[in-house]
Every structure is written in C-alpha cells, then in structure tokens.
Amino acid sequence: MARISAESDTYGALPRLGAAVRARRKAMVLSQEAMADAAGIDRSHMGKIERGERNVTLLNVMRIAAALGCKPSDLLLDADL
Amino acid sequence: MARISAESDTYGALPRLGAAVRARRKAMVLSQEAMADAAGIDRSHMGKIERGERNVTLLNVMRIAAALGCKPSDLLLDADL
C-alpha cells in the first residue's frame, strides 16, 4: 500500500488497474465512497488506488472485487495485465 | 507487503497465489532464489510470498509474472481468484 514512484511501475499497472476498477464501479452507478465502504477500504485510500497512486495489495484487490461483484482476475484482465 | 493475519485473508487468497507462483516456478525448474533475483525481490520476502505469509502488492505480482514469463492475470487464474 506504499506510495509509489512512476519509475517503479514499469508497465503502468497501477493506473491501469485503477481505471478498470473505476470503469466497473461507474457501470454499477456506485460512488467511490459507497464502494470504499462496501470494500472496507478507507475512502481516501480508495481514491488513490483508482488514480494508480498506491501499490495496491492483493487483499485490497480481493475486497474491491467483492464489492464490485467480480473476480480479482476479472479486474486484471480488464486492465490487460 | 505487510505481515497479515489469517483472519484478514477471508478467501485464503495469499496462500493460493503463493501456491500458483510455486507451481509455475517448479514447472520452469527454477529455484526460489533464482526467481527472486530475476524478479528483483528480496529472497526472504519471496519465500514469505510463496507461503502466503505476506500481502503481496500488485507491483510484486507484476515482477513475479515477468520472471515466470506469464501474465499477472494468469497467476490469479491459476489460483482461482
């Protein structure tokens, strides 16, 4: 969950995953706050994950996928990762 | 990358991902040390990831997948996540 520098994210994986999360969230007409609450993730941290500003952990990907009613692998596939 | 308690890993995601990593590594006849070095991950940390004892981050999943010549989503699919 550490703050990350762009150089360490060679493939732009974090912004791509964040965009995939945002797209599914918006398709569900869910606010970022509601999704964060459903996932049990701090709202401010959730915003940073969606913007690709944090190195999201697998357990948070699990929580986000559960809140979005999809599999964690679906989020990675959406992000072409 | 934090130490995790079993209770926070509701789906056993971390041991499942670790087992998927180990299976692909062994199929490549690669030692854990060689894979850690190829991925640029500390050897001791790599062991903990394989045993599901650490909440692996997306960037480390990216690095591990690159070292194994697969996609990050392949690892999650192998783990049925």
Side-chain angles (χ1 to χ4, degrees), chain A residues 9 55-59 73 81, chain B residues 55-59 73 81:
Chain A
D9 186 10
N55 189 3
V56 63
T57 62
L58 182 61
L59 291 186
S73 52
L81 295 176
Chain B
N55 189 2
V56 63
T57 62
L58 182 60
L59 291 187
S73 52
L81 295 176

Side-chain angles (χ1 to χ4, degrees), chain A residues 1 4 8-11 13-14 17 55-63 66 71-74 76-77 80-81, chain B residues 1 4 8-9 11 13-14 17 55-63 66 71-74 76-77 80-81:
Chain A
M1 305 215 259
I4 47 95
S8 62
D9 186 10
T10 314
Y11 302 100
L14 301 175
L17 188 80
N55 189 3
V56 63
T57 62
L58 182 61
L59 291 186
N60 273 348
V61 175
M62 296 293 298
R63 292 180 186 111
K71 294 177 66 179
S73 52
D74 291 330
L76 269 70
L77 290 168
D80 196 26
L81 295 176
Chain B
M1 305 216 259
I4 48 94
S8 62
D9 185 11
Y11 302 100
L14 302 175
L17 188 80
N55 189 2
V56 63
T57 62
L58 182 60
L59 291 187
N60 273 346
V61 175
M62 296 293 297
R63 292 180 185 112
K71 295 177 66 178
S73 52
D74 290 330
L76 269 70
L77 290 168
D80 197 25
L81 295 176

